[in-house]
Amino acid sequence: MAMLGPRVWFSVRQGLSRGLSRNVGGWASGEGRKVDIAGIYPAVTTPFTATAEVDYGKLEENLHKLGNIPFRGFLVQGSNGEFPYLTSSERLEVVSRARQAMPKDKLLLAGSGCESTQATVEMTVSMAQVGADAALVVTPSYFRGQMSSAALIHHYTKVADLSPIPVVLYSVPANTGLDLPVDTAVILSQHPNIVGIKDSGGDVTRIGLMVHKTKRQDFQVLAGSAGFLLASYAVGAVGGVCALANVLGAQVCQLERLCLTGQWEDARKLQLRLIEPNTAVTRRFGISGLKKTMDWFGYYGGPCRAPLQELSPAEEEALHLAFTSNGWL
């Protein structure tokens, strides 16, 4: 993307001077509280046609179907949205179309992370302009050896300073090779426009420590996957952004409800049945596995963009077994 044009900078400055009084709260909701992001969000996939074009019609169909489930909102352009494989204009169009297709009362989290701070600021401002309620910003990782705590604090502070919408930190070491250090997250939690973190690492002690060390801040922790959702709730997380919620959304929301109402025995039974399917659509078979499962559950999954590959017949069989053996198919 080009340098921020005068029009965009003007809108950034205007937003800052207005106190960012979006309905979602942002950093100047009058009572000084940050936006509440608690709840379950599916990590929405980006549908492609057979010729690898973004299929916006299928995106809208999927969102209409998912709109009937009691989610807090949707994450678009996260890892499961294949955002590194989309052009800047495609990323923005996906956010714009998602906003139009979603129920008005649902929060739209949009993945706006880029490698450079400048590009991330531009993308975040642009996503806000097309309807995102909050920005999920992944750790820059191409130069991971230089991504010291100081570099990450500088990056996120600059993005949060200039973002017209609240910022959610995003740590996904399986994809980036980089864990956002807990102490760095704690420092960033003090920023008035940084409202929480999506932690996909699966280390529950780390999630608990983040909850503990940010308890004086208005800062919320979301589990990044459904496999450790119960454990995350048990240590004080307030929700989850889950790939599995694309196909077992009602069940993931049911797990949330059981945890929040203290029905831990039933919650444990449900959580145990979600672990294998969750692993299958994330670490084991990735987005190809998730999209194949979506086809089985009446959504549009379709192909991934190259170089991601379709599953082999043996992989497809193993994926199917992860769901049938737990009573989901």
Side-chain angles (χ1 to χ4, degrees):
M1 290 174 81
M3 291 282 289
L4 274 181
R7 194 169 60 83
V8 177
W9 273 121
F10 176 72
S11 75
V12 172
R13 285 200 308 272
Q14 222 183 13
L16 295 176
S17 65
R18 264 206 319 271
L20 304 173
S21 54
R22 267 183 74 82
N23 58 356
V24 77
W27 33 296
S29 42
E31 66 283 14
R33 294 239 345 132
K34 295 180 183 177
V35 58
D36 180 11
I37 56 170
I40 301 297
Y41 304 77
V44 175
T45 56
T46 302
F48 297 107
T49 65
T51 54
E53 298 301 315
V54 178
D55 193 330
Y56 297 106
K58 294 294 187 206
L59 174 67
E60 287 163 9
E61 282 176 29
N62 284 344
L63 286 168
H64 284 308
K65 287 178 186 167
L66 291 166
N68 299 317
I69 298 168
F71 296 126
R72 176 70 176 95
F74 299 92
L75 166 66
V76 296
Q77 292 301 289
S79 301
N80 287 290
E82 296 175 64
F83 77 87
Y85 293 176
L86 271 63
T87 65
S88 295
S89 58
E90 285 173 331
R91 287 176 72 179
L92 289 171
E93 186 65 16
V94 166
V95 174
S96 176
R97 296 290 191 101
R99 178 74 273 174
Q100 292 162 37
M102 281 167 51
K104 293 286 173 277
D105 61 332
K106 306 282 190 192
L107 274 188
L108 176 54
L109 304 186
S112 65
C114 302
E115 282 297 318
S116 77
T117 304
Q118 180 182 319
T120 304
V121 169
E122 291 177 16
M123 183 61 80
T124 304
V125 169
S126 298
M127 285 186 169
Q129 289 173 337
V130 296
D133 292 311
L136 185 79
V137 180
V138 71
T139 50
S141 62
Y142 186 79
F143 297 109
R144 73 178 54 80
Q146 277 68 52
M147 287 302 105
S148 61
S149 192
L152 291 166
I153 288 168
H154 181 269
H155 175 74
Y156 280 110
T157 301
K158 184 65 98 179
V159 172
D161 281 348
L162 294 173
S163 173
I165 51 177
V167 169
V168 179
L169 311 173
Y170 181 20
S171 183
V172 57
N175 291 349
T176 61
L178 187 73
D179 241 336
L180 185 69
V182 171
D183 290 341
T184 303
V186 172
I187 290 165
L188 290 168
S189 74
Q190 296 165 34
H191 193 291
N193 202 31
I194 294 177
V195 298
I197 184 168
K198 176 193 178 200
D199 194 303
S200 298
D203 180 344
V204 176
T205 58
R206 185 183 137 87
I207 288 174
L209 197 56
M210 253 184 291
V211 169
H212 183 55
K213 289 192 158 194
T214 60
K215 64 179 182 286
R216 287 186 176 79
Q217 304 303 326
D218 197 356
F219 186 81
Q220 295 176 304
V221 180
L222 298 174
S225 204
F228 49 92
L229 192 58
L230 180 151
S232 298
Y233 273 114
V235 296
V238 299
V241 180
C242 309
L244 188 64
N246 283 288
V247 290
L248 295 178
Q251 291 83 352
V252 176
C253 289
Q254 170 69 358
L255 180 54
E256 170 195 33
R257 176 78 1 238
L258 292 169
C259 291
L260 292 178
T261 53
Q263 298 178 66
W264 294 107
E265 183 56 34
D266 286 343
R268 183 175 65 85
K269 287 176 183 164
L270 179 53
Q271 175 67 89
L272 293 176
R273 292 175 60 211
L274 295 175
I275 292 173
E276 280 180 305
N278 182 76
T279 302
V281 300
T282 55
R283 198 169 64 240
R284 197 170 168 202
F285 300 120
I287 304 169
S288 304
L290 175 59
K291 284 184 164 181
K292 176 56 67 178
T293 311
M294 288 174 70
D295 289 331
W296 294 337
F297 277 86
Y299 298 93
Y300 178 83
C304 292
R305 259 193 186 161
L308 290 182
Q309 296 286 289
E310 282 188 29
L311 300 186
S312 69
E315 288 171 329
E316 201 174 308
E317 199 175 322
L319 173 66
H320 201 263
L321 185 61
F323 281 84
T324 53
S325 64
N326 288 283
W328 301 123
L329 272 173

mmCIF file of all heavy atoms in Angstrom, residues 3 5 16 71 87 115 145 164-166 170 175 178 192 196 211 213 223 288 316 321:
data_model
loop_
_atom_site.group_PDB
_atom_site.id
_atom_site.type_symbol
_atom_site.label_atom_id
_atom_site.label_comp_id
_atom_site.label_asym_id
_atom_site.label_seq_id
_atom_site.Cartn_x
_atom_site.Cartn_y
_atom_site.Cartn_z
ATOM 1 N N MET A 3 2.015 5.279 0.815
ATOM 2 C CA MET A 3 2.083 6.071 2.048
ATOM 3 C C MET A 3 0.672 6.524 2.417
ATOM 4 O O MET A 3 -0.182 6.662 1.556
ATOM 5 C CB MET A 3 2.936 7.335 1.814
ATOM 6 C CG MET A 3 4.405 7.053 1.597
ATOM 7 S SD MET A 3 5.244 6.703 3.145
ATOM 8 C CE MET A 3 5.224 8.333 3.895
ATOM 9 N N GLY A 5 -2.141 8.700 2.671
ATOM 10 C CA GLY A 5 -2.465 9.951 1.983
ATOM 11 C C GLY A 5 -2.969 10.988 2.981
ATOM 12 O O GLY A 5 -3.356 10.650 4.088
ATOM 13 N N LEU A 16 -8.845 10.910 16.344
ATOM 14 C CA LEU A 16 -8.189 11.080 17.636
ATOM 15 C C LEU A 16 -8.754 12.283 18.385
ATOM 16 O O LEU A 16 -9.037 12.213 19.579
ATOM 17 C CB LEU A 16 -6.675 11.250 17.437
ATOM 18 C CG LEU A 16 -5.944 10.026 16.860
ATOM 19 C CD1 LEU A 16 -4.487 10.352 16.610
ATOM 20 C CD2 LEU A 16 -6.059 8.839 17.801
ATOM 21 N N PHE A 71 -22.788 -16.075 18.931
ATOM 22 C CA PHE A 71 -21.427 -15.556 19.009
ATOM 23 C C PHE A 71 -21.444 -14.106 19.470
ATOM 24 O O PHE A 71 -22.417 -13.384 19.246
ATOM 25 C CB PHE A 71 -20.755 -15.602 17.625
ATOM 26 C CG PHE A 71 -20.559 -16.979 17.067
ATOM 27 C CD1 PHE A 71 -21.038 -17.302 15.792
ATOM 28 C CD2 PHE A 71 -19.875 -17.956 17.779
ATOM 29 C CE1 PHE A 71 -20.842 -18.572 15.259
ATOM 30 C CE2 PHE A 71 -19.683 -19.226 17.257
ATOM 31 C CZ PHE A 71 -20.168 -19.535 15.990
ATOM 32 N N THR A 87 -4.324 -9.890 -1.345
ATOM 33 C CA THR A 87 -3.823 -8.538 -1.597
ATOM 34 C C THR A 87 -4.455 -7.588 -0.577
ATOM 35 O O THR A 87 -5.459 -7.923 0.060
ATOM 36 C CB THR A 87 -4.201 -8.054 -3.007
ATOM 37 O OG1 THR A 87 -5.630 -7.932 -3.069
ATOM 38 C CG2 THR A 87 -3.716 -9.008 -4.090
ATOM 39 N N GLU A 115 3.770 -6.604 8.152
ATOM 40 C CA GLU A 115 5.117 -6.706 8.703
ATOM 41 C C GLU A 115 5.642 -5.369 9.228
ATOM 42 O O GLU A 115 6.229 -5.317 10.298
ATOM 43 C CB GLU A 115 6.076 -7.292 7.666
ATOM 44 C CG GLU A 115 5.942 -8.809 7.523
ATOM 45 C CD GLU A 115 6.299 -9.561 8.816
ATOM 46 O OE1 GLU A 115 7.286 -9.197 9.478
ATOM 47 O OE2 GLU A 115 5.576 -10.504 9.162
ATOM 48 N N GLY A 145 14.271 -12.397 14.708
ATOM 49 C CA GLY A 145 15.468 -12.251 15.545
ATOM 50 C C GLY A 145 15.624 -10.852 16.114
ATOM 51 O O GLY A 145 16.253 -10.666 17.152
ATOM 52 N N PRO A 164 -8.100 4.271 14.872
ATOM 53 C CA PRO A 164 -9.384 4.829 15.308
ATOM 54 C C PRO A 164 -10.286 3.803 15.987
ATOM 55 O O PRO A 164 -11.372 4.140 16.448
ATOM 56 C CB PRO A 164 -10.014 5.319 13.996
ATOM 57 C CG PRO A 164 -9.349 4.564 12.918
ATOM 58 C CD PRO A 164 -8.019 4.076 13.422
ATOM 59 N N ILE A 165 -9.846 2.541 16.047
ATOM 60 C CA ILE A 165 -10.614 1.479 16.712
ATOM 61 C C ILE A 165 -9.705 0.770 17.721
ATOM 62 O O ILE A 165 -8.477 0.841 17.615
ATOM 63 C CB ILE A 165 -11.178 0.454 15.689
ATOM 64 C CG1 ILE A 165 -10.077 -0.065 14.756
ATOM 65 C CG2 ILE A 165 -12.347 1.048 14.911
ATOM 66 C CD1 ILE A 165 -10.531 -1.131 13.759
ATOM 67 N N PRO A 166 -10.296 0.082 18.706
ATOM 68 C CA PRO A 166 -9.485 -0.637 19.697
ATOM 69 C C PRO A 166 -8.602 -1.706 19.053
ATOM 70 O O PRO A 166 -8.964 -2.295 18.028
ATOM 71 C CB PRO A 166 -10.532 -1.280 20.610
ATOM 72 C CG PRO A 166 -11.772 -0.486 20.414
ATOM 73 C CD PRO A 166 -11.738 -0.011 18.996
ATOM 74 N N TYR A 170 -2.131 -10.116 19.133
ATOM 75 C CA TYR A 170 -2.331 -11.469 18.605
ATOM 76 C C TYR A 170 -1.002 -12.214 18.600
ATOM 77 O O TYR A 170 -0.080 -11.846 17.880
ATOM 78 C CB TYR A 170 -2.914 -11.375 17.189
ATOM 79 C CG TYR A 170 -3.219 -12.697 16.497
ATOM 80 C CD1 TYR A 170 -3.387 -13.885 17.201
ATOM 81 C CD2 TYR A 170 -3.352 -12.744 15.107
ATOM 82 C CE1 TYR A 170 -3.674 -15.075 16.553
ATOM 83 C CE2 TYR A 170 -3.646 -13.926 14.441
ATOM 84 C CZ TYR A 170 -3.804 -15.094 15.174
ATOM 85 O OH TYR A 170 -4.086 -16.271 14.518
ATOM 86 N N ASN A 175 2.530 -20.139 13.846
ATOM 87 C CA ASN A 175 2.683 -19.554 12.510
ATOM 88 C C ASN A 175 3.841 -18.566 12.417
ATOM 89 O O ASN A 175 4.442 -18.414 11.356
ATOM 90 C CB ASN A 175 1.393 -18.834 12.093
ATOM 91 C CG ASN A 175 0.255 -19.805 11.827
ATOM 92 O OD1 ASN A 175 0.459 -21.008 11.753
ATOM 93 N ND2 ASN A 175 -0.947 -19.283 11.695
ATOM 94 N N LEU A 178 7.103 -16.842 17.006
ATOM 95 C CA LEU A 178 7.338 -15.768 17.975
ATOM 96 C C LEU A 178 6.211 -15.729 18.995
ATOM 97 O O LEU A 178 5.051 -15.608 18.630
ATOM 98 C CB LEU A 178 7.399 -14.437 17.203
ATOM 99 C CG LEU A 178 7.789 -13.172 17.936
ATOM 100 C CD1 LEU A 178 9.278 -13.179 18.240
ATOM 101 C CD2 LEU A 178 7.466 -11.958 17.060
ATOM 102 N N PRO A 192 -4.360 2.962 26.562
ATOM 103 C CA PRO A 192 -5.824 3.113 26.601
ATOM 104 C C PRO A 192 -6.552 2.519 25.394
ATOM 105 O O PRO A 192 -7.753 2.261 25.481
ATOM 106 C CB PRO A 192 -6.027 4.637 26.648
ATOM 107 C CG PRO A 192 -4.743 5.229 26.190
ATOM 108 C CD PRO A 192 -3.666 4.265 26.562
ATOM 109 N N GLY A 196 -6.976 -6.030 24.697
ATOM 110 C CA GLY A 196 -6.846 -7.439 25.040
ATOM 111 C C GLY A 196 -5.859 -8.149 24.149
ATOM 112 O O GLY A 196 -5.126 -7.531 23.372
ATOM 113 N N VAL A 211 -3.565 -12.909 32.711
ATOM 114 C CA VAL A 211 -4.771 -12.461 33.423
ATOM 115 C C VAL A 211 -4.368 -11.859 34.772
ATOM 116 O O VAL A 211 -4.807 -10.769 35.150
ATOM 117 C CB VAL A 211 -5.749 -13.643 33.635
ATOM 118 C CG1 VAL A 211 -6.872 -13.258 34.599
ATOM 119 C CG2 VAL A 211 -6.333 -14.105 32.299
ATOM 120 N N LYS A 213 -1.407 -10.673 35.843
ATOM 121 C CA LYS A 213 -0.547 -9.472 35.818
ATOM 122 C C LYS A 213 -1.234 -8.251 35.199
ATOM 123 O O LYS A 213 -0.720 -7.140 35.290
ATOM 124 C CB LYS A 213 0.757 -9.778 35.064
ATOM 125 C CG LYS A 213 1.686 -10.704 35.827
ATOM 126 C CD LYS A 213 3.058 -10.734 35.171
ATOM 127 C CE LYS A 213 4.099 -11.187 36.173
ATOM 128 N NZ LYS A 213 5.478 -10.910 35.687
ATOM 129 N N ALA A 223 -8.766 -16.951 24.534
ATOM 130 C CA ALA A 223 -8.071 -18.162 24.092
ATOM 131 C C ALA A 223 -8.092 -18.191 22.567
ATOM 132 O O ALA A 223 -9.092 -17.826 21.944
ATOM 133 C CB ALA A 223 -8.766 -19.398 24.651
ATOM 134 N N SER A 288 -6.895 -26.352 5.271
ATOM 135 C CA SER A 288 -7.470 -27.326 4.323
ATOM 136 C C SER A 288 -8.407 -28.278 5.047
ATOM 137 O O SER A 288 -9.483 -28.627 4.537
ATOM 138 C CB SER A 288 -6.363 -28.121 3.630
ATOM 139 O OG SER A 288 -5.449 -27.253 2.996
ATOM 140 N N GLU A 316 -8.003 -37.041 4.707
ATOM 141 C CA GLU A 316 -9.436 -36.773 4.788
ATOM 142 C C GLU A 316 -10.129 -37.799 5.676
ATOM 143 O O GLU A 316 -11.012 -37.463 6.471
ATOM 144 C CB GLU A 316 -10.040 -36.787 3.374
ATOM 145 C CG GLU A 316 -11.354 -36.053 3.289
ATOM 146 C CD GLU A 316 -11.868 -35.952 1.855
ATOM 147 O OE1 GLU A 316 -11.113 -35.515 0.964
ATOM 148 O OE2 GLU A 316 -13.039 -36.321 1.646
ATOM 149 N N LEU A 321 -12.582 -39.163 10.945
ATOM 150 C CA LEU A 321 -12.572 -39.987 12.160
ATOM 151 C C LEU A 321 -12.517 -39.116 13.424
ATOM 152 O O LEU A 321 -13.137 -39.445 14.440
ATOM 153 C CB LEU A 321 -11.391 -40.966 12.124
ATOM 154 C CG LEU A 321 -11.310 -41.993 13.264
ATOM 155 C CD1 LEU A 321 -12.541 -42.900 13.262
ATOM 156 C CD2 LEU A 321 -10.030 -42.801 13.163
#
